[in-house]
Amino acid sequence: MAAPPAQPQFMTTIDRRTHPDESRIDDIEYDQIVVPDNKSWKNLFAYVGPGFLVCIAYIDPGNFQTDLQAGAQYKYGLLWIILLASCAALIIQSLAANLGVVTGKHLAEHCRKEYPRVPNFILWFLAEIAIVACDIPEVIGTAFALNMLFNIPLWCGVLITGLSTLVLLLLQQYGVRKLEIFIALLVLTIAGCFFAELGYAKPNSSEVLEGLFVPQLKGSGATKLAISLLGAMVMPHNLFLHSALVLSRKIPRSVSGIKEACRFYMIESGFALLVAFFINVSVISVSGAVCNSPNLNSKELESCKNLDLNEASFLLKNVLGSWSSKLFAIALLASGQSSTITGTYAGQYVMQGFLDLRLKPWIRNFLTRCLAIVPSLIVAIIGGASGAGNLIIIASMILSFELPFALIPLLKFTSCKAKMGLYANSFSIAATTWIISFLIMGINIYYLAEKQVTSLRHSKLSIVGIVFCGLLGFFAMLVYLASIAYLVIRKNQEGSHLIALSDRQEENVTLPRQDIANMQLPQTRNSDLF
């Protein structure tokens, strides 16, 4: 009697019934990154790219701003937030990559298929706000850089950044990969300066280690900065971005091919995030060591009290002398403009995924930049450099508050066997990611409650006004908690269209998808991709 066939392993392919243009692109003329169908560590180079593009968001002007203030105000006391956020980012970003690799659809597309129209629209709206909040630090950081380079007033610099989209598209005529390499070199320049400054500042190694591994939050100000650090490190739009970027690779759609892709994407993301981790730790350590040194003069002490991107160049003067301000500004300008690429990609994928609506990248980038310019311009005119610096902190906090609305769907989808099949999250991974998620939400809720009570306690409003504001804040918190509870409790309704494959049945259902590939910014020939 013949033995029964082996139990098939399930993987997913693209749902071609809902999107006719999501066809295989084997025959179209478009530059692709093709992964060879063989088991080799050399294949890792074919996967290099998405993790580093996502990594740019971890070293943007918003990160520098919050890092500088964390070090100046609390020395090394908030380094543990960077370590926690970096570890969480590696796990979460890997899940986002796995979702795209296994299912052939990115996170925003899954949300559109999974949730009813109203929740889907709300999630899209929140994702758009997150992208605008991410773009605000880029606008202000670029304005600070222009001020340091050419003494342009801050409000004029904010207006000039509106033209950066056109400049970016002009430079991309030479190839987006060359542009990214150029920007990365400039960003690494400032990293090298802070690494060199570490040697001069000589932070106490035992205090640095204590700050990394001993959690502490001293006061509401520390809680505010901790939330900003989390928001600046683990960004919601990055989850949509990473799950879509992996679809640009043409990988073997076999059991072994999927496993290799998931493994190599995690390795690539880990290396990219490790670089970002060291940069952020260096910025905080330098700021903490210099601003808490007893040898500072009165001007430097004043700069440390209100440390922002416009005042931070003095930290590097012992390495570069009078050129510190200029080089810091160039690197800051590069950081802001490189982050624009991240925002452009994420905005396109969010709009296409949630609404099935596509715009040209320059139009999408220009609209997002205009939305970010308005609050930045108002604050720059009224509050100057100090107000603009505080706006960066507020933008980072918005990203942290919005993170659950991207993170929870990601965790639900990657833990669902109907969507992920064999590659659904294990119990340990699911437990770890949910603990991280609830920890972030717990910090956010604590800060909201503490801030509301403190504000009302010191308010000059009448009793009626205090009661009204208290009830309004309480209602807003209930809505926030109810929205999160809805995402957590609701059971997944939609499964993926699965096909049965075994290890012996190496059927190749290829990626990338045509609509994802064509949505990206201009690319050069294959020889320029590595």
Side-chain angles (χ1 to χ4, degrees):
M1 185 175 181
Q7 180 69 28
Q9 296 173 333
F10 291 96
M11 297 190 302
T12 64
T13 185
I14 301 165
D15 180 7
R16 310 191 190 285
R17 296 177 294 178
T18 56
H19 291 281
D21 57 341
E22 293 179 9
S23 57
R24 288 166 47 172
I25 65 172
D26 302 352
D27 301 325
I28 69 171
E29 294 182 0
Y30 190 82
D31 295 323
Q32 300 176 354
I33 301 177
V34 181
V35 181
D37 190 9
N38 56 59
K39 295 183 179 180
S40 172
W41 278 98
K42 295 180 180 179
N43 290 352
L44 175 61
F45 294 102
Y47 293 101
V48 173
F52 281 90
L53 188 57
V54 169
C55 171
I56 291 174
Y58 292 83
I59 49 177
D60 69 353
N63 288 95
F64 289 144
Q65 171 80 9
T66 51
D67 289 348
L68 290 169
Q69 290 198 5
Q73 297 180 25
Y74 300 98
K75 206 172 182 180
Y76 317 121
L78 297 180
L79 281 175
W80 67 276
I81 294 290
I82 299 297
L83 178 61
L84 176 65
S86 297
C87 294
L90 175 58
I91 298 174
I92 293 169
Q93 295 293 165
S94 297
L95 294 184
N98 291 349
L99 181 68
V101 168
V102 174
T103 67
K105 291 182 174 63
H106 56 80
L107 179 58
E109 290 177 320
H110 280 285
C111 289
R112 186 180 79 239
K113 289 180 66 65
E114 178 66 35
Y115 296 110
R117 179 174 298 179
V118 173
N120 178 73
F121 182 83
I122 294 174
L123 288 175
W124 166 75
F125 181 72
L126 292 173
E128 293 290 352
I129 292 178
I131 293 172
V132 172
C134 177
D135 210 38
I136 286 176
E138 299 163 14
V139 170
I140 296 177
T142 302
F144 278 143
L146 293 174
N147 177 263
M148 286 184 274
L149 286 172
F150 309 110
N151 293 322
I152 296 176
L154 192 61
W155 66 272
C156 290
V158 170
L159 289 176
I160 292 174
T161 57
L163 302 175
S164 63
T165 297
L166 301 178
V167 175
L168 181 63
L169 292 175
L170 177 64
L171 292 175
Q172 284 176 332
Q173 294 180 5
Y174 299 98
V176 68
R177 188 65 72 173
K178 293 184 177 67
L179 176 64
E180 290 175 356
I181 292 174
F182 175 71
I183 291 175
L185 289 175
L186 289 178
V187 174
L188 289 176
T189 300
I190 193 172
C193 293
F194 275 105
F195 289 155
E197 182 72 359
L198 279 175
Y200 172 84
K202 294 182 175 61
N204 188 298
S205 58
S206 60
E207 292 182 6
V208 171
L209 290 175
E210 180 182 356
L212 277 172
F213 298 106
V214 180
Q216 52 182 311
L217 288 174
K218 298 179 179 179
S220 61
T223 305
K224 176 183 176 180
L225 269 177
I227 294 174
S228 298
L229 286 171
L230 280 173
M233 287 293 289
V234 186
M235 297 186 181
H237 76 282
N238 257 1
L239 306 183
F240 297 104
L241 176 67
H242 206 172
S243 64
L245 284 176
V246 297
L247 299 178
S248 65
R249 265 54 176 177
K250 185 176 181 179
I251 64 174
R253 298 297 293 179
S254 60
V255 173
S256 59
I258 293 291
K259 289 182 178 179
E260 179 185 75
C262 293
R263 181 173 68 253
F264 282 159
Y265 274 131
M266 184 172 185
I267 294 173
E268 186 235 4
S269 299
F271 182 77
L273 292 174
L274 183 64
V275 174
F277 168 75
F278 283 127
I279 291 175
N280 285 291
V281 169
S282 298
V283 174
I284 291 180
S285 298
V286 169
S287 176
V290 173
C291 286
N292 290 276
S293 172
N295 301 322
L296 295 182
N297 56 43
S298 58
K299 182 179 179 180
E300 292 172 340
L301 283 173
E302 187 64 27
S303 296
C304 284
K305 289 181 181 179
N306 302 288
L307 191 60
D308 56 30
L309 294 173
N310 204 32
E311 299 288 339
S313 59
F314 85 92
L315 297 173
L316 304 176
K317 70 177 183 178
N318 299 294
V319 178
L320 301 172
S322 60
W323 279 92
S324 61
S325 176
K326 302 300 180 185
L327 190 55
F328 183 91
I330 291 173
L332 184 60
L333 183 65
S335 175
Q337 293 309 295
S338 61
S339 298
T340 298
I341 300 175
T342 302
T344 301
Y345 281 166
Q348 280 293 98
Y349 297 138
V350 163
M351 184 169 289
Q352 174 265 329
F354 280 107
L355 304 181
D356 197 19
L357 178 65
R358 298 170 178 84
L359 291 178
K360 292 182 179 180
W362 74 268
I363 296 177
R364 182 63 181 76
N365 192 17
F366 186 76
L367 291 176
T368 302
R369 182 54 57 94
C370 288
L371 291 174
I373 282 176
V374 173
S376 302
L377 181 62
I378 294 174
V379 172
I381 294 175
I382 298 177
S386 177
N390 289 331
L391 183 59
I392 292 180
I393 299 294
I394 293 173
S396 298
M397 291 175 61
I398 291 174
L399 291 172
S400 185
F401 287 126
E402 290 202 8
L403 181 59
F405 298 102
L407 180 57
I408 292 175
L410 176 66
L411 300 184
K412 294 287 291 291
F413 297 159
T414 54
S415 298
C416 178
K417 289 188 178 294
K419 293 181 182 293
M420 298 288 288
L422 177 68
Y423 304 96
N425 294 338
S426 65
F427 176 81
S428 58
I429 293 296
T432 301
T433 50
W434 278 109
I435 289 173
I436 292 172
S437 179
F438 282 120
L439 177 62
I440 294 173
M441 289 185 286
I443 293 177
N444 291 343
I445 294 169
Y446 165 78
Y447 177 77
L448 280 174
E450 192 271 342
K451 192 67 175 179
Q452 181 181 354
V453 172
T454 302
S455 299
L456 293 177
R457 183 179 299 172
H458 298 89
S459 174
K460 297 181 180 180
L461 296 173
S462 62
I463 298 297
V464 176
I466 292 176
V467 171
F468 176 78
C469 292
L471 291 175
L472 186 63
F474 180 74
F475 177 75
M477 187 177 297
L478 283 181
V479 172
Y480 182 74
L481 292 175
S483 302
I484 293 175
Y486 169 79
L487 295 177
V488 172
I489 297 173
R490 182 183 184 277
K491 294 183 178 180
N492 292 329
Q493 303 295 323
E494 294 286 340
S496 298
H497 295 274
L498 301 176
I499 58 174
L501 292 178
S502 68
D503 288 317
R504 294 172 294 180
Q505 185 182 355
E506 297 294 322
E507 179 179 343
N508 288 324
V509 181
T510 56
L511 291 179
R513 282 170 29 190
Q514 182 176 353
D515 61 328
I516 294 297
N518 288 339
M519 191 182 299
Q520 296 183 26
L521 299 177
Q523 296 194 23
T524 56
R525 303 304 303 173
N526 288 347
S527 59
D528 295 327
L529 293 173
F530 301 101

